[in-house]
Amino acid sequence: ATAAVIAEGNLDGVIRGEGEETFGELVEMLLRDRRLSLIPGLSLPRDEHVVDGPDRLPADPAALPSPWLSGVLTPPAGGGVLWEVARGCRFDCSYCLDSLGYRNVSKLPEERLAAELALFSEAGVSQIWALDSTFNFPPERGKRLLQLLAGHAPEIHVHLEAKADYLDEEMIQMMALIPCSVQIGLQSFHPQVLRAIHRSLDIDSCVDKIQQMAEAGITYGFDLIYGLPTDDLDGFRSSLDSALSLRPNQVDLFPLAILPGTALHAQRADFGLVAAPSPPYEIERSATWTPDMLEKARLLAAATDLFYNLGRAVGFFTPLTELTGKTPVEFLEGFADWMLLHQGVYRSVLLDSECWLPEEILPMQEGYVQHLLLQAHREPVLQAALDLIRYHFHYAETLLGEEVTPSDDFDNGAPWERTWKRSPHVRLVPFSYEILDLMEMDEIDLQEFSELFRPVGSVALFCRRGGEVLCESLEEDLLTLLRSCDGRQTPEAIYSGSVSRKAGEEMIRFAAAEGFIVPVG
């Protein structure tokens, strides 16, 4: 594998295993001699061969300096950090490189982790991505990490990777006490497929634990892989249906990569696996996967990423599939077909999720749902469905946006003659129904909703306060003020006698105190 990497990248050398000590010695060697020679952990090309230096044993994590505490890296205020908490993996999934070499987990010292968390908290970091392929194995180590997070950085959102097998009730309750999201690598819902890649999973127990997480209010997502040996397109579709029925916040779908050096790479003849010869080594066909199946899975993955993940669909996806009478996979495959055939979206654009902005996805979601409901002659429920999509889009975008804070730092002595401007972080969103009625229905049945309520229309204000979203239906006079505060007109001109000065000034002071509007000049 080392020789292939050197040849593929036309490289002068490759560091094997953990790199800190080898890289440091390499830099010193280059500064001193300006030439490469063999040292432990380094491989070099010699003529037509590759020569390996001696293996280097993994470093003691306790002896490694922290890039954060040493000042090499500065935690960004309001930003996110990658936080290493452990190295290695005890599992031997055949497609993965994490456990190669030494099948062990090396913990970083708790004192260091606690000090780093305190530093992140003091710096105002908003998110932490914990670098640990299975933070909850063994379970006691995972619980201790959760205690550290709760004790030293309880305000920072942390992203964790877990195996469902090692979740228990105590751990779930601990996760519920901190702002976190948990990504669970399921890969497949089929035992025979999991056995083929050296994984085991008690599906019933896993589903029970995920439902416990949902009841505890924990945000969770799943990973699935298509192209796995012994699986096929129908099996992958079935796994995705099962995953989406559990209402994850997102589901990440990956093509199988047959990485040189893994057990699966050595077994590729056993499963008829053929992969691309260069990174990312993506599967091209196998004994159970044809190129056509992989293409259909690729389009399904792209549709899932656009409609469900980037489209923030977790809150409305199940009501829509129930309304249209489609399984989750049928709904998403239909979305891909509609995009390609009816909207003229190029395949390459559909597959490139990074080129899509959220505000571009919303009209696609609305258009597809309208297409389905009109095709099924379900016009009476259409506006309720569109309202539901629009509400969840603006809720999610508001939650990800800037905070609007109450303010007493404004001159309220003569607000009537001043000009005001609406905060750019306030959203005014029109709906066909009264939005408060929609919000009050927990497990919403769109057919029932459209029969109970009339589309009387409303405009809702969305803004973020801390970690919460404020959504309020606006009265006409306040809506007029907020819509018209463009920094050029005074309230006196905005209302033109339709509102008394006293009532208008009360609304201005309220809106300014809430941070919805700010004075100009």
Side-chain angles (χ1 to χ4, degrees):
T2 303
V5 170
I6 288 176
E8 191 174 275
N10 192 24
L11 303 176
D12 295 321
V14 166
I15 294 175
R16 307 188 313 276
E18 296 180 7
E20 284 96 345
E21 293 179 304
T22 304
F23 181 73
E25 292 179 14
L26 176 64
V27 171
E28 290 180 0
M29 177 172 52
L30 290 173
L31 290 173
R32 183 179 63 250
D33 301 330
R34 296 186 179 277
R35 58 185 295 274
L36 294 175
S37 58
L38 280 182
I39 57 175
L42 185 66
S43 296
L44 300 174
R46 290 287 186 262
D47 298 324
E48 296 183 1
H49 304 284
V50 171
V51 181
D52 295 330
D55 288 337
R56 189 185 291 274
L57 292 175
D60 177 7
L64 297 173
S66 163
W68 301 108
L69 300 178
S70 65
V72 172
L73 297 177
T74 301
V81 298
L82 301 177
W83 183 48
E84 185 179 33
V85 300
R87 291 186 179 183
C89 181
R90 291 290 298 274
F91 305 101
D92 62 346
C93 304
S94 63
Y95 57 86
C96 185
L97 291 166
D98 279 3
S99 65
L100 291 187
Y102 302 92
R103 281 188 57 196
N104 199 5
V105 176
S106 300
K107 299 185 298 181
L108 273 72
E110 279 193 12
E111 297 78 10
R112 165 176 161 171
L113 297 180
E116 288 174 338
L117 286 174
L119 176 66
F120 298 157
S121 182
E122 182 180 356
V125 167
S126 63
Q127 297 190 75
I128 293 171
W129 280 265
L131 301 181
D132 186 342
S133 58
T134 310
F135 97 93
N136 63 326
F137 180 83
E140 291 309 313
R141 181 173 74 85
K143 292 173 186 178
R144 183 57 190 151
L145 181 64
L146 294 173
Q147 289 174 339
L148 286 173
L149 289 163
H152 297 279
E155 76 287 0
I156 302 179
H157 188 101
V158 60
H159 302 266
L160 302 163
E161 293 188 35
K163 278 180 73 73
D165 318 49
Y166 301 101
L167 294 172
D168 59 36
E169 187 174 348
E170 181 185 15
M171 188 180 296
I172 290 170
Q173 293 307 315
M174 292 176 72
M175 289 191 293
L177 297 176
I178 63 172
C180 72
S181 53
V182 183
Q183 194 72 8
I184 299 174
L186 298 173
Q187 318 316 351
S188 172
F189 274 80
H190 304 299
Q192 82 281 0
V193 175
L194 294 173
R195 283 195 295 271
I197 54 174
H198 300 169
R199 287 179 70 90
S200 62
L201 183 65
D202 184 329
I203 299 297
D204 292 338
S205 174
C206 171
V207 169
D208 179 64
K209 290 169 182 176
I210 290 167
Q211 289 171 341
Q212 290 180 43
M213 291 174 64
E215 291 169 2
I218 297 168
T219 298
Y220 55 89
F222 302 141
D223 294 337
L224 295 177
I225 297 176
Y226 60 90
L228 290 172
T230 77
D231 203 4
D232 57 19
L233 180 61
D234 286 341
F236 172 66
R237 293 172 80 250
S238 171
S239 288
L240 182 54
D241 270 335
S242 297
L244 290 171
S245 72
L246 295 170
R247 304 188 184 189
N249 191 61
Q250 68 176 47
V251 55
D252 292 328
L253 307 174
F254 303 99
L256 176 65
I258 306 170
L259 305 176
T262 61
L264 190 60
H265 187 269
Q267 298 172 317
R268 57 194 188 280
D270 298 339
F271 299 111
L273 293 167
V274 177
S278 58
Y281 306 108
E282 186 175 322
I283 183 174
E284 294 179 342
R285 65 181 182 276
S286 75
T288 56
W289 285 90
T290 66
D292 182 61
M293 288 179 184
L294 290 167
E295 171 66 6
K296 289 177 179 176
R298 195 172 293 115
L299 291 174
L300 174 56
T304 304
D305 199 26
L306 280 182
F307 194 101
Y308 193 90
N309 295 337
L310 298 176
R312 326 289 189 207
V314 60
F316 61 82
F317 189 71
T318 297
L320 288 184
T321 56
E322 291 174 348
L323 185 66
T324 56
K326 295 181 178 294
T327 67
V329 163
E330 288 171 346
F331 185 94
L332 292 167
E333 287 175 333
F335 179 63
D337 290 342
W338 179 80
M339 294 272 281
L340 294 169
L341 300 176
H342 294 270
Q343 298 303 298
V345 174
Y346 289 116
R347 172 186 174 278
S348 59
V349 174
L350 176 61
L351 294 176
D352 184 8
S353 61
E354 292 185 1
C355 76
W356 289 87
L357 297 173
E359 55 268 27
E360 295 172 328
I361 298 172
L362 175 63
M364 290 295 177
Q365 291 173 317
E366 293 176 323
Y368 175 57
V369 170
Q370 179 170 303
H371 166 77
L372 289 181
L373 294 180
L374 292 180
Q375 195 176 53
H377 306 291
R378 302 293 300 276
E379 291 88 345
V381 79
L382 173 60
Q383 293 306 320
L386 297 181
D387 273 5
L388 186 64
I389 295 171
R390 197 171 299 125
Y391 168 75
H392 282 280
F393 170 82
H394 288 285
Y395 184 99
E397 289 300 300
T398 302
L399 190 60
L400 294 171
E402 296 292 327
E403 184 176 1
V404 175
T405 55
S407 173
D408 55 9
D409 184 22
F410 62 91
D411 178 11
N412 62 6
W416 193 245
E417 291 86 8
R418 297 199 64 173
T419 54
W420 300 82
K421 189 171 184 179
R422 188 173 76 245
S423 166
H425 309 305
V426 165
R427 293 170 177 261
L428 303 180
V429 183
F431 293 93
S432 296
Y433 287 83
E434 171 50 65
I435 189 59
L436 297 181
D437 293 333
L438 196 70
M439 292 166 55
E440 289 172 2
M441 293 191 69
D442 293 331
E443 291 295 323
I444 189 164
D445 181 302
L446 289 169
Q447 181 65 46
E448 180 185 357
F449 178 84
S450 64
E451 292 170 356
L452 286 174
F453 299 97
R454 293 176 55 248
V456 296
S458 65
V459 175
L461 176 146
F462 288 78
C463 69
R464 182 166 74 83
R465 288 280 164 80
E468 302 294 328
V469 172
L470 173 67
C471 177
E472 295 289 346
S473 184
L474 295 173
E475 296 291 339
E476 189 64 34
D477 291 337
L478 181 56
L479 173 61
T480 298
L481 175 70
L482 295 179
R483 275 180 169 167
S484 303
C485 280
D486 55 6
R488 296 190 297 270
Q489 301 181 82
T490 65
E492 183 177 19
I494 289 170
Y495 285 119
S496 301
S498 62
V499 171
S500 71
R501 175 168 182 156
K502 180 180 179 182
E505 288 186 342
E506 286 180 0
M507 274 189 288
I508 296 164
R509 292 190 176 100
F510 165 76
E514 292 292 325
F516 301 157
I517 59 175
V518 293
V520 176

